[in-house]
Amino acid sequence: MSGSRTEAAIGPWMLRWRRFRRNRAGMAALLVLVALVLFVLAAFPMQIWGGMNADATDLFARFDPPDAAHWLGRDEAGRDVLLRLMVGGQISLLVGLLGTAVGGAFGVLIGICAGYFGGKIDALLMRFTDGMIALPLLPLVIVMGAIDLTKIGFSRDFAHSGAVGFWRIVVVIAIVDWTAIARLVRAATMALKERDFVRSARASGAGAGYTMASHILPNIATPVIVAFTLTVGRVILLESTLSFLGFGIVPPTPSWGNMLSNAQDMVINAPALAVYPGLLILITVIAVNFLGDGLQSAFDPRAER
Amino acid sequence: MTRYIFRRVGQSALVMLVMSVVIYALIGLMPGDPLDIMIASNPGATPEVVAKLRQLYGLDQPLMVRYWHWLTSALSGDLGFSRVHSAPVLEILRPALLQSCKLMLGSFALSVVLAFSLGIIAARRPGGIVDGLIGLIAFAGISVPVFWLALMMILIFAVNLHWLPASGISNVGDGGLRDQLVHLIMPVVTLGFATTGGFIRYVRASMIEVLRMDHVRTARAKGAGEGRVVLIHAFRNALIPVVTIMALSFGTLFNGALLTETMFAQPGMGKMIYDSILGNDFNLALTGLLFATGVTLLSNLAADLAYGWLDPRITLQ
């Protein structure tokens, strides 16, 4: 009998976690991502106790091969490659998470309003979304990344500071990558809106904001989590592409994308410099995608096995 | 049906118009202005001369006035002059478009063939080893940074093995068909692999769904061979959602083309747009961006129409 009592005590999230644990690819992806996060965080002890600096150049040690102190050797300015990969990874992962959070929140807002209110609001918001989807994303993002902030009234110092460079790319990515989430949330909201528990809430006088926040949002959480996960992968790719092309994170701040941009010119002399950052991007994004896939099958038991 | 097409074309035209305003304004916000190079290359330019020039080029006018000028002349067929290339925009656009068509058609064909074969094979035994392997290939295609894949291709096949040329569209002095094709191999494979990842997953999912349907069971029960069941009974029905996704992927293909062309130094639309943004070539960037938007809108429309044609149960309204 004790077995049935444990069954009853399991909440929906515990159940989903149990289902996820059985998904081998998803679990492997989760472990890889945990390892990656530990890897990029290892930069802190190296900087604090190891006394190393990701920006410290040493022109006498350019392209030095790996040794005991510098495990992956040094780059074209004599900087430690391993430490730069870690610090660059922090930036790339952070942009991935923040870009998704900002863009995703916007997408959820658009989608839930369109689905809940319907009619003219829905038509307007969805035409806006469709128009956005039809745009040539990459060139547009490049143009936005290249905008001269002093032309819209910001001071020179502000426009060229490192923090602005970081937030600019987060905002630019958020502006373009919200459409998939908006459409998903809209469809889910439309289906939920007509369910009895939502109608009863509205009949007992719940306002639109309250209904959306406490009845709709919790019930669309699982597909939204999956969509957010997949978005993180896309955002990391987009950030690396932009930084590679010179419109994203600007050196000397490293990111996996702009490290490749330097390495491209030296691909013949120092091919390893071009391999590491790209490999890390590939591993990260593959793991994120497998994680999203695993979450999806854990959250939606009806889906095909 | 005709009404539907008209309405959709009207909507697309509206999106184009809105986009032209947005892109016009955005490009105006990029560093520098159309006179920079002229002023920089002429040390004798006094502030008076600069002011005169600004007036001559209409740069002292408000944004909307300049936009209106551009729009009216663009609609009468005058897309302006490219600063960097010193030639009318249309003359530069045409060869670039042709080059991009070769790359994009080649990559698209490659990715469709790969996706159909791998997707169908994976769907035969979902959850099996082959399925897992194909899934890994698909995810690798989705997850690989296109520019890095290009870089690795150059590193392996051009730098190390010397099998293929690293860049350009033909050797100096040769330029025959064979030479051009050899130059296209790496770009087409790079872009094709990056595009096929998403396709494989859609073909697989769609096939799995259709293979479970009653008509497939009926076909098997009637004794139809496995090949016939999969390719005729299932595949045709699985095509419906897949075709839409493929037509809608034009945007992704174009993004990839921008990167592959830039990496392999191929003078196509993508590289042209990239260079024009870098070089602040206002007219060329504007036209290129709007052209890409227009083609994407058209391909979306074509996808919707194909949907109705493939599946008569769907009525468009």
Side-chain angles (χ1 to χ4, degrees):
Chain A
M1 289 315 282
S2 62
S4 69
R5 215 178 327 130
T6 5
E7 290 294 324
I10 288 178
W13 288 102
M14 196 62 209
L15 242 156
R16 285 168 187 150
W17 166 241
R18 284 196 172 177
R19 269 202 300 268
F20 178 75
R21 258 192 335 204
R22 280 202 298 270
N23 184 315
R24 261 176 299 163
M27 274 308 279
L30 186 64
L31 291 179
V32 168
L33 285 174
V34 170
L36 271 165
V37 169
L38 291 178
F39 170 73
V40 302
L41 290 182
F44 290 115
M46 275 172 77
Q47 285 162 323
I48 297 169
W49 294 298
M52 294 174 76
N53 183 343
D55 298 331
T57 56
D58 180 355
L59 293 180
F60 293 107
R62 298 179 71 210
F63 303 117
D64 264 11
D67 58 38
H70 306 278
W71 291 355
L72 291 180
R74 311 226 205 166
D75 70 0
E76 75 279 5
R79 296 170 296 200
D80 183 64
V81 171
L82 183 63
L83 186 61
R84 278 186 81 73
L85 283 173
M86 291 169 174
V87 178
Q90 289 173 5
I91 307 263
S92 294
L93 293 182
L94 208 57
V95 171
L97 292 176
L98 286 173
T100 304
V102 179
F106 185 63
V108 169
L109 188 69
I110 296 266
I112 206 167
C113 286
Y116 187 82
F117 293 116
K120 285 232 167 65
I121 296 179
D122 179 38
L124 187 74
L125 290 177
M126 281 304 113
R127 285 300 80 73
F128 175 48
T129 312
D130 290 345
M132 201 69 202
I133 291 173
L135 300 181
L137 193 86
L138 189 55
L140 202 66
V141 167
I142 293 177
V143 172
M144 286 196 280
I147 283 178
D148 184 358
L149 288 177
T150 56
K151 281 197 184 176
I152 44 178
F154 291 105
S155 76
R156 250 194 101 70
D157 296 336
F158 176 79
H160 293 277
S161 65
V164 169
F166 177 83
W167 283 102
R168 172 211 284 264
I169 181 149
V170 171
V171 170
V172 164
I173 288 176
I175 287 175
V176 295
D177 206 329
W178 52 269
T179 51
I181 289 177
R183 283 165 74 118
L184 176 102
V185 169
R186 169 180 176 263
T189 308
M190 278 167 63
L192 270 176
K193 189 172 70 166
E194 300 306 327
R195 295 271 293 274
D196 287 340
F197 70 95
V198 179
R199 290 161 71 131
S200 98
R202 278 194 300 186
S204 35
Y210 176 81
T211 314
M212 285 194 247
S214 60
H215 291 295
I216 308 245
L217 266 186
N219 284 297
I220 58 173
T222 53
V224 168
I225 290 173
V226 173
F228 267 60
T229 312
L230 297 176
T231 306
V232 171
R234 265 204 316 274
V235 172
I236 291 177
L237 268 186
L238 195 55
E239 181 274 324
S240 70
T241 306
L242 278 179
S243 299
F244 174 75
L245 293 174
F247 298 101
I249 303 291
V250 188
T253 309
S255 91
W256 287 339
N258 73 28
M259 289 174 74
L260 278 168
S261 157
N262 294 338
Q264 184 195 11
D265 304 329
M266 295 160 294
V267 75
I268 296 178
N269 298 324
L273 292 183
V275 174
Y276 301 135
L279 212 54
L280 281 171
I281 301 173
L282 178 64
I283 292 172
T284 311
V285 181
I286 283 196
V288 168
N289 280 327
F290 268 112
L291 178 69
D293 209 42
L295 289 176
Q296 182 152 40
S297 28
F299 289 169
D300 187 2
R302 285 160 304 169
E304 32 98 8
R305 274 258 346 122
Chain B
M1 189 65 187
T2 325
R3 261 194 65 190
Y4 173 79
I5 298 179
F6 269 110
R7 213 184 60 214
R8 283 293 307 272
V9 170
Q11 279 175 357
S12 304
L14 190 67
V15 173
M16 279 293 278
L17 191 69
V18 173
M19 275 317 290
S20 68
V21 180
V22 173
I23 296 177
Y24 195 94
L26 279 179
I27 293 186
L29 288 175
M30 299 209 314
D33 70 29
L35 289 182
D36 280 352
I37 298 182
M38 232 180 276
I39 297 166
S41 59
N42 183 1
T46 57
E48 292 82 50
V49 175
V50 172
K52 263 260 167 53
L53 275 173
R54 297 188 76 84
Q55 207 179 359
L56 188 70
Y57 278 79
L59 289 173
D60 52 346
Q61 307 274 333
L63 181 72
M64 283 323 281
V65 175
R66 279 184 285 146
Y67 170 74
W68 182 248
H69 272 295
W70 173 83
L71 186 68
T72 44
S73 51
L75 287 179
S76 64
D78 175 18
L79 289 168
F81 211 70
S82 156
R83 238 154 40 89
V84 172
H85 298 266
S86 300
V89 163
L90 273 179
E91 267 178 37
I92 302 157
L93 208 60
R94 219 169 286 139
L97 190 61
L98 190 70
Q99 183 60 39
S100 283
C101 279
K102 287 183 203 161
L103 171 65
M104 287 168 69
L105 282 179
S107 316
F108 189 71
L110 177 70
S111 60
V112 166
V113 170
L114 270 176
F116 280 151
S117 29
L118 294 179
I120 290 175
I121 294 172
R124 293 285 304 284
R125 275 193 191 78
I129 295 175
V130 178
D131 181 35
L133 215 64
I134 292 176
L136 191 66
I137 296 177
F139 270 131
I142 298 171
S143 312
V144 74
V146 176
F147 60 93
W148 182 70
L149 181 61
L151 200 57
M152 289 301 107
M153 297 275 281
I154 294 176
L155 185 63
I156 296 170
F157 296 106
V159 177
N160 287 343
L161 297 173
H162 298 288
W163 284 357
L164 293 165
S167 66
I169 51 169
S170 65
N171 283 327
V172 183
D174 186 343
L177 184 65
R178 202 187 112 92
D179 184 43
Q180 289 189 19
L181 285 178
V182 166
H183 278 82
L184 262 179
I185 293 177
M186 280 211 288
V188 164
V189 171
T190 305
L191 186 52
F193 181 68
T195 322
T196 206
F199 289 178
I200 292 177
R201 287 179 51 79
Y202 284 114
V203 172
R204 174 183 174 274
S206 181
M207 275 302 281
I208 288 178
E209 206 178 311
V210 173
L211 279 171
R212 280 186 193 155
M213 284 184 173
D214 288 341
H215 77 270
V216 172
R217 195 173 307 135
T218 311
R220 285 212 171 102
K222 282 196 309 184
E226 187 61 20
R228 193 180 155 79
V229 169
V230 170
L231 292 178
I232 310 276
H233 292 269
F235 181 58
R236 260 196 68 180
N237 285 291
L239 264 181
I240 298 165
V242 172
V243 164
T244 320
I245 293 296
M246 288 182 172
L248 282 173
S249 72
F250 177 83
T252 328
L253 197 63
F254 189 83
N255 290 340
L258 190 150
L259 290 168
T260 16
E261 284 169 1
T262 309
M263 295 301 294
F264 292 107
Q266 300 227 313
M269 283 290 289
K271 182 160 166 45
M272 185 199 83
I273 291 179
Y274 178 64
D275 287 346
S276 63
I277 292 173
L278 273 187
N280 205 3
D281 198 340
F282 197 98
N283 290 327
L284 194 56
L286 193 58
T287 310
L289 282 166
L290 281 178
F291 187 84
T293 313
V295 178
T296 317
L297 286 168
L298 274 180
S299 71
N300 292 358
L301 181 60
D304 281 353
L305 295 180
Y307 209 73
W309 175 69
L310 277 169
D311 189 348
R313 285 168 302 185
I314 297 167
T315 48
L316 302 168
Q317 22 159 330

